[in-house]
Amino acid sequence: MSGPSHELDVSAFERGVSAECESGVPLGAYASSDAVHYLFLGARGAFALERPHADGRAATAFSATFPLFSWDEREMRDEWNVRFADLPDPRPLRGQDGRMPDALLATGGGLMHMVVGPVHAGIIEPGRFTFSSGGETVVHLDAQLSYSHRGVERHLCGTDALEAAAGVARICGSCSASRSLAYAQALEQLAGIELDPGVELARLVVVELERVYNHLADLAASAAGAGWGPGFARGMALKERAMRACRLGGGHRLLFDAIVPGGVGPSTLREPSELRATLRVLASSAEHYFAALFGNPSVVARWERAGVVSRKMARAFGAVGPASRASGGKIDVRAFAPYGAYRRIRVDAATAASGDAFARCCVKRDELRGSFRAIDEALAQLGDARPSAPKMPRLGPGAAIGVVEGPRGAETVAVHVDDRGRLSRLHVISASYRNWPIVAAAMDGNIVPDFPLVNKSFNLCYACADR
Amino acid sequence: MTQSSFRGSLGIRHLVCGSCNGCEHEMNALNNAYYDITRDGWDIVASPRHADVITVTGPMTVAMRAAAEQTVDAVPLPRVVVAIGDCAAGVGPWAGAPEAGEGAGVELEAAIFVHGCPPTPDAIRSGLEEAGTILSRGDVARAVKDQKRER
Ligand code: SF4
């Protein structure tokens, strides 16, 4: 991170942000008490373009031109009092005092409205979805989240940055390991330390295990969305095996605390050879599953042309991860800006072009194969060596950004640390936060009963989007 | 009169109140082929009207509170609230966070607290068995009171 000392005059700042949005890789934006920070990904990692916001001048709302910043800028206004001259969506991003702002409706002859949530029928996180439809065809869907907003960023501020790692791991259960890694990366940049190659390999194993259990669950849910019960049951059984492998490899079924600042947790990779053998069997079971799933014409027919996201739309909304790569996007942080062991174990970005639920399932299948390969390679390189114990010096003041490719795309964590090693600002931009607006947009022209199918082909989290 | 039938046929409604989704992964595991609670005649149901037991997770959030209370109220009596996870017991990582409450289980008067972050599927299953026992004995109110006293 360039740090707030890297002052730009306002028009140079605006030109810079626009140019990076046009041709670079935007990650998101946030405010701290005195500046606004727009984050982008370069080949050597994340960087920020910044300007002060407390100087009385209204800030430019980039979301007027680049809708991808819509949530970020509303949040900056609501929570950090950033004054924008021209914010397109005047509604608060989150519910205020327990009341959700009115949903955006499409109105006109014959259109009807249906509200679903925040409590849903299954074991799912809360959100309110308001459909405007003509008969069965959806004209507009407004997705309003924030029911899981706990105020995690403010809660962790003021605590010791190293001790806050356990909280960071519990912001969201489904992408815990990836976020822990992004957070650790940021603190390690601040400390200026390099890690042992063995520790980096162990971390690769942990975050790829996270991708494995998530993608298996997503494919299972997509089978369910297509109405194929046996495909769901088989997929969820594979996910259970993957979660047991997580416990074996990371000491926890959801990999909480398997990655810590300066290294890995004490239970990470205690039985590397048993893990390797287990995963080889799981990888071969997964292949049988793929053959059944992708060989089932009625499932594939339901996936095809459902929830289409065009390349243009994906870019405008700043989609990340499989949501972007299934629409022709090329960015996978592991390949574009390799970090840790990905500098030695290369992972190719899996892509597809059709932008529908089928394309997203194909990308996840291909990534599962890549994950099994990468883990096997990392475990081969590690052999029987146990990763060394975490080492972390006392932190000095400064700011840094960590970014890693999680199961749903770029997981970004920005940290500001004060001169006593405590967090003064923490900001989490999750892949789900980036991708939610596109789920809503992908429903246009689809029928209401296809919402579960379209939604599950993204399978985003709420907890890390709401924070 | 109907009491003894509860244990064998629990209808379970799950309610998420600001959880990180970790507890939901383990609740979902109850339905997979390894834990398969339908073998016991238990079912995770879609409507609170069909439920005997409400499992709740998360610290409770300002935004969820009203919807959560309405959902519990929609469950016919007798009903048991089971708190799943440390957050729901008010001792998780978000205790004291600005938009978090006292724990979903605390606020919604749980009779049973299953600890863990998240609890294992087997621990959740034990909690549900206990819920069946309490329903069969017909002493939900006493169980809730005992829990409050322990806190
Ligand atoms: S108890 Fe742990 S797993 Fe459950 S919601 Fe809280 S942080 Fe997540």
Side-chain angles (χ1 to χ4, degrees):
Chain A
M1 189 173 191
S2 45
S5 62
H6 186 79
E7 285 270 340
L8 290 155
D9 75 61
V10 171
S11 64
F13 164 79
E14 288 178 358
R15 277 198 308 277
V17 171
S18 299
E20 288 295 338
C21 287
E22 299 278 2
S23 54
V25 184
L27 295 172
Y30 70 99
S32 53
S33 52
D34 50 2
V36 295
H37 314 258
Y38 285 73
L39 310 186
F40 302 91
L41 183 65
R44 291 211 311 268
F47 62 94
L49 298 179
E50 311 172 308
R51 62 156 281 202
H53 73 74
D55 58 0
R57 282 170 302 182
T60 305
F62 290 98
S63 53
T65 321
F66 307 104
L68 75 101
F69 291 121
S70 167
W71 281 23
D72 311 61
E73 289 182 341
R74 285 162 69 191
E75 196 179 338
M76 286 151 83
R77 177 201 53 197
D78 298 346
E79 300 201 7
W80 293 88
N81 297 320
V82 176
R83 211 154 54 75
F84 287 104
D86 46 357
L87 209 55
D89 190 341
R91 298 175 304 162
L93 179 65
R94 301 201 167 106
Q96 312 268 309
D97 304 320
R99 277 209 56 225
M100 194 54 76
D102 292 340
L104 273 186
L105 304 174
T107 50
L111 292 187
M112 59 180 190
H113 306 116
M114 186 167 72
V115 185
V116 182
V119 177
H120 300 294
I123 303 176
I124 327 176
E125 296 176 87
R128 185 171 84 172
F129 299 93
T130 305
F131 296 86
S132 301
S133 66
E136 287 210 316
T137 306
V138 176
V139 179
H140 179 72
L141 166 60
D142 196 16
Q144 294 174 289
L145 310 187
S146 85
Y147 290 94
S148 295
H149 179 54
R150 295 143 286 172
V152 305
E153 294 177 352
R154 284 182 201 268
H155 184 60
L156 291 176
C157 278
T159 42
D160 181 276
L162 302 183
E163 284 166 19
V168 171
R170 286 160 180 77
I171 292 171
C172 182
S174 309
C175 37
S176 167
S178 298
R179 184 155 305 104
S180 289
L181 178 55
Y183 183 70
Q185 276 183 359
L187 296 190
E188 288 150 15
Q189 274 173 50
L190 269 182
I193 58 166
E194 294 283 325
L195 298 181
D196 289 351
V199 170
E200 291 185 332
L201 287 168
R203 285 178 165 191
L204 179 146
V205 171
V206 171
V207 290
E208 292 304 329
L209 279 170
E210 180 166 79
R211 197 177 327 278
V212 167
Y213 92 74
N214 270 284
H215 279 9
L216 285 171
D218 287 8
L219 289 180
S222 296
W228 193 38
F232 175 66
R234 272 179 79 176
M236 290 309 273
L238 288 172
K239 179 205 174 193
E240 173 65 27
R241 286 168 62 186
M243 285 176 76
R244 292 178 181 195
C246 290
R247 189 168 150 64
L248 182 61
H252 188 279
R253 282 164 57 86
L254 295 162
L255 300 165
F256 289 4
D257 310 318
I259 293 175
V260 297
V264 293
S267 310
T268 299
L269 289 194
R270 297 183 73 92
E271 312 279 352
S273 39
E274 192 186 337
L275 179 66
R276 196 170 177 211
T278 302
L279 287 172
R280 286 190 163 181
V281 183
L282 182 61
S284 111
S285 304
E287 281 302 330
H288 289 291
Y289 180 56
F290 300 156
L293 191 57
F294 289 82
N296 184 326
S298 57
V299 167
V300 170
R302 292 276 283 118
W303 288 350
E304 280 173 341
R305 291 177 297 282
V308 176
V309 175
S310 69
R311 175 87 194 93
K312 207 170 133 211
M313 221 163 104
R315 235 195 115 68
F317 283 95
V320 293
S324 154
R325 292 191 290 277
S327 299
K330 299 275 179 281
I331 306 296
D332 179 322
V333 186
R334 296 172 295 171
F336 183 79
Y339 46 92
Y342 297 107
R343 287 182 288 233
R344 283 170 292 144
I345 296 175
R346 303 302 302 216
V347 177
D348 296 326
T351 60
S354 54
D356 51 7
F358 176 64
R360 287 184 284 278
C361 288
C362 288
V363 166
K364 287 176 188 172
R365 174 199 59 198
D366 296 347
E367 289 189 0
L368 275 162
R369 290 175 170 147
S371 294
F372 283 123
R373 261 198 308 273
I375 296 173
D376 197 67
E377 173 65 34
L379 289 173
Q381 289 190 19
L382 261 173
D384 282 329
R386 291 282 314 280
S388 54
K391 281 191 283 292
M392 199 66 197
R394 262 198 69 82
L395 287 171
I401 311 163
V403 55
V404 310
E405 184 73 24
R408 293 164 187 79
E411 295 295 346
T412 309
V413 178
V415 295
H416 297 232
V417 173
D418 69 15
D419 51 11
R420 292 168 64 187
R422 298 172 309 192
L423 287 176
S424 55
R425 177 80 172 98
L426 167 74
H427 187 64
V428 169
I429 304 171
S430 74
S432 293
Y433 183 88
R434 276 279 66 82
N435 286 335
W436 265 113
I438 209 149
V439 176
M443 274 307 289
D444 288 0
N446 285 252
I447 57 172
V448 177
D450 269 0
F451 180 62
L453 167 63
V454 172
N455 188 28
K456 288 296 163 186
S457 72
F458 293 93
N459 220 4
L460 304 179
C461 337
Y462 300 63
C464 54
D466 295 348
R467 291 179 251 119
Chain B
M1 13 145 223
T2 56
Q3 318 290 3
S4 57
S5 58
F6 272 117
R7 273 178 88 161
S9 64
L10 290 182
I12 301 153
R13 183 67 176 80
H14 187 65
L15 181 60
V16 186
C17 306
S19 152
C20 80
N21 208 26
C23 284
E24 281 58 46
H25 279 285
E26 298 302 33
M27 280 298 299
N28 270 311
L30 296 177
N31 261 341
N32 76 31
Y34 289 79
Y35 299 99
D36 192 8
I37 56 165
T38 60
R39 280 183 301 209
D40 302 308
W42 297 352
D43 196 11
I44 293 174
V45 297
S47 167
R49 301 268 189 235
H50 302 161
D52 310 300
V53 170
I54 315 100
T55 48
V56 299
T57 56
M60 183 57 80
T61 62
V62 174
M64 263 313 283
R65 191 169 280 131
E69 284 166 1
Q70 279 173 31
T71 304
V72 172
D73 280 344
V75 178
L77 293 167
R79 59 179 178 234
V80 183
V81 176
V82 179
I84 306 291
D86 290 348
C87 283
V91 296
W94 311 117
E99 299 276 318
E102 292 174 58
V106 177
E107 294 196 17
L108 299 169
E109 307 212 307
I112 294 159
F113 286 81
V114 182
H115 283 274
C117 182
T120 60
D122 286 329
I124 299 175
R125 178 197 286 274
S126 309
L128 292 172
E129 256 163 34
E130 215 181 308
T133 308
I134 288 175
L135 275 173
S136 299
R137 281 204 313 254
D139 54 4
V140 180
R142 204 180 72 207
V144 171
K145 221 162 53 212
D146 287 350
Q147 287 293 352
K148 281 192 187 155
R149 212 180 23 246
E150 267 178 45
R151 273 198 307 278

